[in-house]
Amino acid sequence: MGDGDPVILVSNDDGVRSEGIEALAGALKDLGTVYVVAPDRERSAASHSLSLTHPLRVEKVSPRVYSVDGTPTDCVNLGVNGILRGKKIDLLVSGINKGANLGDDITYSGTVSAAMEGTLLGIPSIAVSLVTRTRFRFDTAAEMALDVARKVLKRGLPDDTLLNVNVPNAAREEIKGVRVTRMGKRVYGDMIVEKVDPRGKKYYWIGGDHLNCEDVPGSDLEAIEEGYISVTPIHLDLTNYTALRALRKWTW
């Protein structure tokens, strides 16, 4: 790629050595110059946390690949404002996550939060997740990520909006197609698992692997359940405008 090609920043929450980020970065090299800035270890469910109470350390793993001892949000912020300072970053892609980020999952997701940070910094951003916990088909998700990235580089995205992409774990020819969707609704239920250690003291795991969902027509959860790739535009303005209008009628 030449000097005039797009600059693409890649991050994730599974760690810099994850097979998912390697597949993603490899696919995106067809579009431009790819830089990877990712956590030094798994940071799943880190949400949009930013490290403010301790310094961050960076290790150059290989050419244009950097490891950070921080959260996905740290990685994007440090990548844009530190490691790649002075470069115009044309696109940020986060993933490929080992597992779905559907419905309310996005409020916990480090993968989606990396894309949120990119969006806050004015960079068109995409989060990509593979809907499985075993036998990952990263090739399919990487192919889809490349397709979406190409479209975003050409068309751009609305202000304060990122794309959350979830891909079924199947060969591309086995997937029925792509649906543009809305956020679904998870039903988390009992997420706490209580155990006792060998010394008789209780400890707890926060679970959540066995989730249900509400029946929301046109949702990302429905699309995946029916064998489609879901592409959901996520807006960073969290204001409830219906409630805003109602609250303005109150007496203050």
Side-chain angles (χ1 to χ4, degrees), residues 158 161-164 180-183 231-235:
T161 301
L162 64 96
L163 296 184
N164 184 35
V180 178
T181 56
R182 58 174 293 185
M183 272 180 60
V231 178
T232 307
I234 303 295
H235 194 212

Side-chain angles (χ1 to χ4, degrees), residues 86-142:
K87 288 187 179 291
K88 179 183 180 297
I89 300 173
D90 299 285
L91 182 68
L92 181 140
V93 189
S94 178
I96 300 166
N97 191 61
K98 293 181 176 180
N101 279 303
L102 298 162
D104 303 301
D105 291 347
I106 70 167
T107 62
Y108 301 104
S109 169
T111 302
V112 177
S113 292
M116 287 182 176
E117 186 69 7
T119 304
L120 285 169
L121 295 172
I123 303 167
S125 299
I126 306 163
V128 184
S129 301
L130 187 57
V131 187
T132 186
R133 289 293 182 185
T134 59
R135 299 182 181 179
F136 302 99
R137 293 292 303 266
F138 290 118
D139 55 338
T140 303

Side-chain angles (χ1 to χ4, degrees), residues 11-13 15 38-43 46 49-51 54-58 67-76 78:
S11 193
N12 72 351
D13 71 359
D40 60 351
R41 58 191 181 277
E42 184 175 341
R43 295 280 188 166
S49 58
L50 187 66
S51 299
H54 62 83
L56 297 172
R57 301 189 184 278
V58 178
S67 168
V68 179
D69 64 342
T71 69
T73 301
D74 291 332
C75 292
V76 173
L78 184 58

Side-chain angles (χ1 to χ4, degrees), residues 18-32:
S18 168
E19 294 172 88
I21 202 169
E22 292 176 358
L24 178 61
L28 293 175
K29 286 177 181 176
D30 286 349
L31 293 182

Side-chain angles (χ1 to χ4, degrees), residues 222-240:
E222 179 189 71
I224 290 295
E225 181 67 24
E226 295 181 1
Y228 290 83
I229 294 167
S230 73
V231 178
T232 307
I234 303 295
H235 194 212
L236 296 190
D237 183 352
L238 302 181
T239 306
N240 183 327

Side-chain angles (χ1 to χ4, degrees), residues 177-189:
V178 178
R179 286 182 180 172
V180 178
T181 56
R182 58 174 293 185
M183 272 180 60
K185 184 68 179 175
R186 286 289 203 193
V187 179
Y188 288 101

